[in-house]
Amino acid sequence: MKKILFACLTVLFLNACGTTKPSTFYALDSGAIPADEPEQANAGKVKIGIEPVIIPNYLNRPQIVIRDDDGVTLKISEFNRWGEQIGDVFPRVLADSMNITLGYPAAKQINVNRDLFLYRLLVEVSRFDASFGKDAVLSAWWTLTSRDGKTVYRSRSVLTHPVGNTYADAAEAERTLIVRLGGIIGNAVRKKIK
């Protein structure tokens, strides 16, 4: 009797472990396809280096985070994930959006010597998540400094965008928010630097 019970439990356990739902991965990029230029004649115009973006710990994961209806409970999806870490892709999307707004390649994520840039952009995200059927929210402080560390411009942006009821909707809304933030920063930069 014990052997039969053990065999049944083993079969149930193996069946439970045998099937897993496949994960869906979402790209968090600007959606912009750069113009095909044989030479980057404007590469010398890149003046702004975007520092690594400070992301809250609750977002420092590949899983997409959804804020529940109560506004304080977070749901972390094991099967809906970003294609790469938010902190890695955020500066690239921001740079793409700023460059589109400014009409030339003015900004680039810093991954080489910081001294190559006349200005640096520091972004500190305090909130970046979505609620199904409500809004995605991006709240961030951003500071443009000169090479010597003097503040040229500092502001806070709080942006929202409507979200449908799927993870794809949430991913698209969050992508839209980063693009909008890049446009806001690009417009502010246009007034402050030549």
Side-chain angles (χ1 to χ4, degrees):
M1 184 68 162
K2 287 183 182 180
K3 287 183 180 182
I4 293 173
L5 182 59
F6 179 73
C8 288
L9 289 175
T10 302
V11 168
L12 286 174
F13 178 73
L14 290 174
N15 281 338
C17 294
T19 58
T20 58
K21 180 181 172 185
S23 293
T24 302
F25 294 89
Y26 296 90
L28 186 63
D29 58 25
S30 66
I33 299 172
D36 185 22
E37 295 181 37
E39 290 185 57
Q40 279 290 344
N42 293 323
K45 293 184 177 181
V46 176
K47 298 177 181 179
I48 305 164
I50 301 175
E51 296 279 357
V53 175
I54 299 168
I55 301 288
N57 283 336
Y58 80 94
L59 293 173
N60 193 16
R61 61 184 71 245
Q63 298 93 341
I64 294 180
V65 176
I66 298 295
R67 193 170 290 257
D68 208 352
D69 290 339
D70 63 10
V72 294
T73 305
L74 301 176
K75 294 179 181 176
I76 298 169
S77 176
E78 286 301 322
F79 302 109
N80 294 280
R81 297 169 172 251
W82 296 115
E84 54 187 318
Q85 296 282 36
I86 291 174
D88 294 337
V89 70
F90 200 112
R92 290 197 312 266
V93 177
L94 203 58
D96 286 348
S97 179
M98 288 173 65
N99 294 339
I100 289 168
T101 300
L102 292 165
Y104 68 97
K108 179 185 177 311
Q109 178 181 13
I110 293 177
N111 54 15
V112 293
N113 187 345
R114 283 171 169 71
D115 293 332
L116 296 176
F117 303 98
L118 296 176
Y119 301 93
R120 294 183 190 130
L121 179 65
L122 305 126
V123 178
E124 182 179 353
V125 174
S126 55
R127 181 172 171 191
F128 185 55
D129 53 50
S131 296
F132 288 141
K134 293 184 179 179
D135 288 318
V137 177
L138 171 58
S139 175
W141 282 96
W142 51 274
T143 307
L144 183 69
T145 65
S146 60
R147 185 184 292 169
D148 60 4
K150 293 182 181 169
T151 299
V152 175
Y153 194 86
R154 179 165 170 77
S155 187
R156 180 176 183 219
S157 296
V158 180
L159 307 172
T160 62
H161 189 80
V163 176
N165 292 310
T166 68
Y167 283 96
D169 294 336
E172 177 61 23
E174 290 183 22
R175 180 196 70 78
T176 299
L177 290 176
I178 300 175
V179 170
R180 282 179 49 202
L181 179 62
I184 289 167
I185 296 172
N187 282 324
V189 163
R190 178 184 285 130
K191 298 171 187 172
K192 294 294 180 180
I193 67 174
K194 302 277 188 244

CSV table of all heavy atoms in Angstrom, one decimal, residues 164-192:
chain,number,residue,atom,x,y,z
A,164,GLY,N,-3.9,49.2,-21.2
A,164,GLY,CA,-4.9,48.3,-21.4
A,164,GLY,C,-4.8,47.2,-20.3
A,164,GLY,O,-4.3,47.4,-19.2
A,165,ASN,N,-5.2,46.0,-20.7
A,165,ASN,CA,-5.3,44.9,-19.7
A,165,ASN,C,-4.3,43.8,-19.9
A,165,ASN,O,-4.5,42.7,-19.4
A,165,ASN,CB,-6.7,44.4,-19.6
A,165,ASN,CG,-7.7,45.4,-19.0
A,165,ASN,OD1,-7.4,46.0,-18.0
A,165,ASN,ND2,-8.8,45.6,-19.7
A,166,THR,N,-3.3,44.0,-20.8
A,166,THR,CA,-2.3,43.0,-21.1
A,166,THR,C,-0.9,43.5,-20.7
A,166,THR,O,-0.6,44.7,-20.6
A,166,THR,CB,-2.3,42.6,-22.5
A,166,THR,OG1,-1.9,43.6,-23.3
A,166,THR,CG2,-3.8,42.1,-23.0
A,167,TYR,N,0.0,42.5,-20.6
A,167,TYR,CA,1.4,42.9,-20.4
A,167,TYR,C,2.0,43.6,-21.6
A,167,TYR,O,2.8,44.5,-21.5
A,167,TYR,CB,2.3,41.6,-20.1
A,167,TYR,CG,2.1,41.2,-18.7
A,167,TYR,CD1,1.1,40.2,-18.4
A,167,TYR,CD2,2.8,41.8,-17.6
A,167,TYR,CE1,0.9,39.8,-17.1
A,167,TYR,CE2,2.6,41.4,-16.3
A,167,TYR,CZ,1.6,40.4,-16.0
A,167,TYR,OH,1.4,40.0,-14.7
A,168,ALA,N,1.5,43.2,-22.8
A,168,ALA,CA,2.0,44.0,-24.0
A,168,ALA,C,1.6,45.4,-24.0
A,168,ALA,O,2.3,46.3,-24.3
A,168,ALA,CB,1.4,43.3,-25.3
A,169,ASP,N,0.3,45.7,-23.5
A,169,ASP,CA,-0.1,47.1,-23.3
A,169,ASP,C,0.8,47.8,-22.3
A,169,ASP,O,1.1,49.0,-22.5
A,169,ASP,CB,-1.6,47.1,-22.8
A,169,ASP,CG,-2.6,46.5,-23.8
A,169,ASP,OD1,-2.3,46.5,-25.0
A,169,ASP,OD2,-3.6,46.1,-23.3
A,170,ALA,N,1.1,47.1,-21.2
A,170,ALA,CA,2.0,47.8,-20.2
A,170,ALA,C,3.3,48.1,-20.7
A,170,ALA,O,3.9,49.2,-20.5
A,170,ALA,CB,2.1,46.8,-18.9
A,171,ALA,N,3.9,47.1,-21.5
A,171,ALA,CA,5.2,47.3,-22.1
A,171,ALA,C,5.2,48.5,-23.0
A,171,ALA,O,6.1,49.4,-23.0
A,171,ALA,CB,5.7,46.1,-22.8
A,172,GLU,N,4.2,48.6,-23.9
A,172,GLU,CA,4.1,49.7,-24.8
A,172,GLU,C,3.9,51.1,-24.1
A,172,GLU,O,4.5,52.1,-24.5
A,172,GLU,CB,2.9,49.5,-25.8
A,172,GLU,CG,2.7,50.6,-26.7
A,172,GLU,CD,3.8,50.9,-27.7
A,172,GLU,OE1,4.7,50.0,-27.9
A,172,GLU,OE2,3.9,52.0,-28.2
A,173,ALA,N,3.1,51.1,-23.0
A,173,ALA,CA,2.9,52.3,-22.3
A,173,ALA,C,4.2,52.8,-21.6
A,173,ALA,O,4.5,54.0,-21.6
A,173,ALA,CB,1.8,52.1,-21.2
A,174,GLU,N,4.9,51.8,-21.0
A,174,GLU,CA,6.2,52.2,-20.4
A,174,GLU,C,7.2,52.7,-21.4
A,174,GLU,O,7.9,53.6,-21.1
A,174,GLU,CB,6.7,51.1,-19.5
A,174,GLU,CG,5.8,50.8,-18.3
A,174,GLU,CD,6.2,49.7,-17.4
A,174,GLU,OE1,7.4,49.4,-17.4
A,174,GLU,OE2,5.4,49.2,-16.6
A,175,ARG,N,7.3,52.1,-22.6
A,175,ARG,CA,8.2,52.5,-23.6
A,175,ARG,C,7.8,54.0,-24.0
A,175,ARG,O,8.6,54.8,-24.1
A,175,ARG,CB,8.1,51.6,-24.8
A,175,ARG,CG,9.0,52.0,-26.0
A,175,ARG,CD,8.6,51.4,-27.3
A,175,ARG,NE,7.3,51.8,-27.8
A,175,ARG,CZ,7.2,53.0,-28.5
A,175,ARG,NH1,8.2,53.8,-28.7
A,175,ARG,NH2,6.0,53.4,-29.0
A,176,THR,N,6.5,54.2,-24.2
A,176,THR,CA,6.0,55.5,-24.5
A,176,THR,C,6.4,56.6,-23.5
A,176,THR,O,6.8,57.7,-23.9
A,176,THR,CB,4.5,55.5,-24.7
A,176,THR,OG1,4.1,54.6,-25.7
A,176,THR,CG2,3.9,56.9,-25.0
A,177,LEU,N,6.4,56.2,-22.2
A,177,LEU,CA,6.8,57.2,-21.2
A,177,LEU,C,8.3,57.6,-21.3
A,177,LEU,O,8.6,58.7,-21.1
A,177,LEU,CB,6.5,56.6,-19.8
A,177,LEU,CG,5.0,56.5,-19.5
A,177,LEU,CD1,4.8,55.8,-18.1
A,177,LEU,CD2,4.3,57.8,-19.5
A,178,ILE,N,9.1,56.6,-21.5
A,178,ILE,CA,10.5,56.9,-21.7
A,178,ILE,C,10.8,57.8,-22.9
A,178,ILE,O,11.5,58.8,-22.8
A,178,ILE,CB,11.4,55.7,-21.8
A,178,ILE,CG1,11.3,54.8,-20.5
A,178,ILE,CG2,12.9,56.1,-22.0
A,178,ILE,CD1,12.0,53.5,-20.6
A,179,VAL,N,10.1,57.5,-24.0
A,179,VAL,CA,10.2,58.4,-25.2
A,179,VAL,C,9.7,59.8,-24.9
A,179,VAL,O,10.4,60.8,-25.3
A,179,VAL,CB,9.4,57.7,-26.4
A,179,VAL,CG1,9.3,58.7,-27.5
A,179,VAL,CG2,10.1,56.4,-26.8
A,180,ARG,N,8.6,59.9,-24.2
A,180,ARG,CA,8.1,61.2,-23.8
A,180,ARG,C,9.1,62.0,-22.9
A,180,ARG,O,9.3,63.2,-23.1
A,180,ARG,CB,6.7,61.1,-23.1
A,180,ARG,CG,5.6,60.9,-24.1
A,180,ARG,CD,4.3,60.7,-23.5
A,180,ARG,NE,4.0,61.8,-22.5
A,180,ARG,CZ,3.1,61.7,-21.5
A,180,ARG,NH1,2.4,60.5,-21.4
A,180,ARG,NH2,2.9,62.6,-20.7
A,181,LEU,N,9.7,61.3,-22.0
A,181,LEU,CA,10.7,61.9,-21.1
A,181,LEU,C,11.8,62.4,-21.9
A,181,LEU,O,12.3,63.5,-21.7
A,181,LEU,CB,11.1,61.0,-20.0
A,181,LEU,CG,12.2,61.5,-19.0
A,181,LEU,CD1,11.6,62.7,-18.3
A,181,LEU,CD2,12.7,60.4,-18.1
A,182,GLY,N,12.3,61.6,-22.9
A,182,GLY,CA,13.4,62.1,-23.7
A,182,GLY,C,13.0,63.3,-24.5
A,182,GLY,O,13.9,64.2,-24.7
A,183,GLY,N,11.8,63.4,-25.0
A,183,GLY,CA,11.3,64.6,-25.7
A,183,GLY,C,11.3,65.8,-24.8
A,183,GLY,O,11.7,66.9,-25.2
A,184,ILE,N,10.9,65.6,-23.5
A,184,ILE,CA,10.9,66.8,-22.6
A,184,ILE,C,12.3,67.2,-22.3
A,184,ILE,O,12.6,68.4,-22.3
A,184,ILE,CB,10.2,66.3,-21.3
A,184,ILE,CG1,8.7,66.2,-21.5
A,184,ILE,CG2,10.4,67.3,-20.1
A,184,ILE,CD1,7.9,65.4,-20.4
A,185,ILE,N,13.2,66.3,-22.0
A,185,ILE,CA,14.6,66.6,-21.8
A,185,ILE,C,15.2,67.3,-23.0
A,185,ILE,O,15.9,68.3,-22.9
A,185,ILE,CB,15.4,65.4,-21.3
A,185,ILE,CG1,14.8,64.9,-19.9
A,185,ILE,CG2,16.9,65.8,-21.1
A,185,ILE,CD1,15.4,63.6,-19.5
A,186,GLY,N,14.9,66.7,-24.2
A,186,GLY,CA,15.5,67.3,-25.4
A,186,GLY,C,15.0,68.7,-25.6
A,186,GLY,O,15.9,69.6,-26.0
A,187,ASN,N,13.8,69.0,-25.3
A,187,ASN,CA,13.3,70.4,-25.5
A,187,ASN,C,14.0,71.3,-24.5
A,187,ASN,O,14.3,72.5,-24.8
A,187,ASN,CB,11.8,70.5,-25.3
A,187,ASN,CG,11.1,70.0,-26.6
A,187,ASN,OD1,11.6,70.3,-27.7
A,187,ASN,ND2,10.0,69.3,-26.5
A,188,ALA,N,14.2,70.9,-23.2
A,188,ALA,CA,14.8,71.7,-22.2
A,188,ALA,C,16.3,71.9,-22.6
A,188,ALA,O,16.8,73.0,-22.4
A,188,ALA,CB,14.7,71.0,-20.9
A,189,VAL,N,17.0,70.9,-23.1
A,189,VAL,CA,18.4,71.0,-23.5
A,189,VAL,C,18.5,72.0,-24.6
A,189,VAL,O,19.5,72.7,-24.7
A,189,VAL,CB,18.9,69.6,-23.9
A,189,VAL,CG1,20.2,69.7,-24.7
A,189,VAL,CG2,19.1,68.7,-22.7
A,190,ARG,N,17.6,72.0,-25.6
A,190,ARG,CA,17.7,72.9,-26.7
A,190,ARG,C,17.8,74.3,-26.3
A,190,ARG,O,18.5,75.1,-26.9
A,190,ARG,CB,16.4,72.7,-27.6
A,190,ARG,CG,16.4,73.6,-28.8
A,190,ARG,CD,15.1,73.5,-29.6
A,190,ARG,NE,15.1,72.3,-30.4
A,190,ARG,CZ,14.1,71.4,-30.4
A,190,ARG,NH1,13.1,71.6,-29.7
A,190,ARG,NH2,14.2,70.3,-31.2
A,191,LYS,N,17.1,74.7,-25.2
A,191,LYS,CA,17.1,76.0,-24.6
A,191,LYS,C,18.4,76.3,-23.8
A,191,LYS,O,18.7,77.5,-23.7
A,191,LYS,CB,15.9,76.3,-23.8
A,191,LYS,CG,14.6,76.1,-24.5
A,191,LYS,CD,13.4,76.2,-23.5
A,191,LYS,CE,12.1,75.9,-24.3
A,191,LYS,NZ,11.0,75.7,-23.4
A,192,LYS,N,19.1,75.3,-23.4
A,192,LYS,CA,20.2,75.5,-22.4
A,192,LYS,C,21.6,75.4,-23.1
A,192,LYS,O,22.5,76.0,-22.6
A,192,LYS,CB,20.1,74.5,-21.3
A,192,LYS,CG,18.9,74.8,-20.4
A,192,LYS,CD,19.0,76.1,-19.7
A,192,LYS,CE,17.8,76.3,-18.8
A,192,LYS,NZ,17.9,77.6,-18.1
